[in-house]
Amino acid sequence: MSNPKSSSEENRSDGSQPWLHQKGRTIQEFGTVKQFPVALTMETRLYSCQRLNKVLADTRILHDLYKKYHWLMRGATFYQLHLLLDKHAGEQIELIDAVAERVQTLGGVAVGDPRHVAEITTVPRPPDGVEEVPSMLSRLLEAHELILTECHDAAARTQELGDDGTNDLLVSDVVRTNELQAWFVAEHLVDTPLVHV
């Protein structure tokens, strides 16, 4: 006589039942690179991944600042800034994905968890409440400048190491996008009258 199946055995034999609460071992530690056939040394790829993860963490914070300020915008230019900040947030999302994919392409591990991002970023944390509009815009500009400073240095160093792909991503995408966005935001802080009397 066969043994009756336990309820857990019955659930596992049902092809539509998800296997919930699974735990696994870490198969690649953050801060390491696996061997990939991309014609770059292990040391170069490790260095590039470290620099890219720093840019990635700062970019994720900048994106979140854009979304926060998009929601909290106030005043006479509310509509224009509400739309502009949301547009910039969307462009930062594209950069986040591109930088994270470059880390993975080099055999690294892209920083993913927001709590880990907070440990890596150097972008200062804003107050939890609502600041005056010029302060919000100034914070965005400061974050852009931090990212640009990091990117200029990282681009030069990765170029020296022969990592053309990382250099190109940093210069062509991250630097150019951040410079353009900084220009658009900075012009909203100019106190210029519409007409002279």
Side-chain angles (χ1 to χ4, degrees), residues 192-196:
T192 303
L194 294 175
V195 293
H196 291 283

Side-chain angles (χ1 to χ4, degrees), residues 155-173:
R157 184 70 180 119
T158 55
Q159 182 64 41
E160 290 171 8
L161 294 171
D163 186 353
D164 300 320
T166 297
N167 172 273
D168 180 57
L169 171 67
L170 292 171
V171 174
S172 299
D173 297 325

